[in-house]
Amino acid sequence: MERPTLPRSFYLRDALSVARDLLGKELVHHSPEGTASGIIVEAEAYRGALDAASHARGGVPTGRTRIMYEEGGHAYVYFIYGMYWCLNVTTREKGVAEGVLIRALEPRQGIGLMRSRRRIRPGKKDVELANGPGKLCAALGIDGTLYGADLCSDTLFLREPEDKAEFAVGTSPRRHVDYAGEAKDYPWRFFIVGNRCVSGGAGRASRR
DNA sequence: GACCGGATTGGC
DNA sequence: CCAATCCGGTCC
């Protein structure tokens, strides 16, 4: 039986709650090349004008961040370091620019497709296919053409996993936000403790 | 119109 | 540890 897509109401909450609750959910991308998906094992909350680490810290929409200010449940996809795409899930009502960076997946569907998209060495393990925000976008075929995509759709969406398992949630400061003053220490990174697909090694409280 | 540096990654 | 490689944001 087809599992339903997470409803709009899931996203119309604060980013901390959504980041925590995204752990264990399945991110799915149906594309012309095929379907690829993975279980979210790591995510970070970004809280707009409240948050010096957020792209929306200025509190004013820009060309890049405008989707963050729209109603939650859309894809904020951005390009970083001249090479990589990263995916955020937007949250809260229109006018509030919060969101959640998806940082790592445990591969589920379409592992062969993920492998070919990532063009990694044959020896690499499945664990390494999507254990980072740039890697998971490459593996799932997510790029700028999905900017603003509605996550309550049948192309790019989230749903409950087929087999739900118990897990412990770890928190830590967010990674790579040393520029953000005191916000760099906010414990707004969430991950599944012990999961091998968490970025930067095992699912522990890895450093910034 | 120029300049700066990044919510990363993989290779040395 | 560090280069790769663009672009958004900022300031002139």
Side-chain angles (χ1 to χ4, degrees):
Chain A
M1 194 179 77
E2 192 67 11
R3 286 162 277 151
T5 299
L6 296 187
R8 180 76 58 197
S9 57
F10 179 90
Y11 302 102
L12 301 183
R13 301 180 295 146
D14 70 278
L16 292 170
S17 300
V18 173
R20 159 67 186 79
D21 292 347
L22 280 173
L23 296 179
K25 300 292 192 286
E26 185 178 16
L27 174 65
V28 185
H29 184 209
H30 291 313
S31 81
E33 302 171 289
T35 297
S37 79
I39 304 298
I40 295 173
V41 300
E42 181 183 357
E44 288 176 351
Y46 286 85
R47 303 186 70 198
L50 300 171
D51 182 1
S54 172
H55 291 168
R57 56 186 168 276
V60 178
T62 66
R64 183 171 64 156
T65 62
R66 64 170 182 74
I67 195 65
M68 300 265 294
Y69 293 82
E70 298 300 318
E71 181 174 62
H74 292 83
Y76 166 42
V77 181
Y78 67 92
F79 192 55
I80 189 73
Y81 296 116
M83 272 176 270
Y84 304 106
W85 295 100
C86 292
L87 170 67
N88 282 244
V89 167
T90 66
T91 74
R92 303 266 325 242
E93 67 277 18
K94 183 176 170 68
V96 183
E98 297 195 1
V100 176
L101 172 67
I102 310 302
R103 284 198 58 90
L105 304 178
E106 181 180 300
R108 277 288 183 276
Q109 287 188 52
I111 289 178
L113 177 57
M114 296 171 83
R115 244 175 210 290
S116 64
R117 280 171 169 155
R118 288 261 288 129
R119 284 183 263 113
I120 59 177
R121 301 197 316 269
K124 288 266 190 182
K125 299 168 190 155
D126 290 349
V127 161
E128 300 173 82
L129 285 175
N131 63 340
K135 297 177 192 179
L136 75 89
C137 283
L140 264 56
I142 294 168
D143 63 21
T145 64
L146 286 168
Y147 183 90
D150 187 354
L151 300 176
C152 303
S153 73
D154 56 6
T155 304
L156 180 67
F157 59 91
L158 291 109
R159 64 183 175 193
E160 295 292 339
E162 195 156 48
D163 49 316
K164 292 186 189 177
E166 295 289 313
F167 56 81
V169 176
T171 64
S172 84
R174 295 167 293 179
R175 302 190 69 187
H176 306 287
V177 295
D178 286 347
Y179 57 85
E182 70 177 32
K184 77 177 172 36
D185 296 317
Y186 297 165
W188 291 354
R189 171 175 174 258
F190 300 83
F191 57 93
I192 293 181
V193 174
N195 189 289
R196 296 171 60 215
C197 298
V198 172
S199 70
R204 291 193 297 271
S206 56
R207 307 217 176 279
R208 286 193 282 281

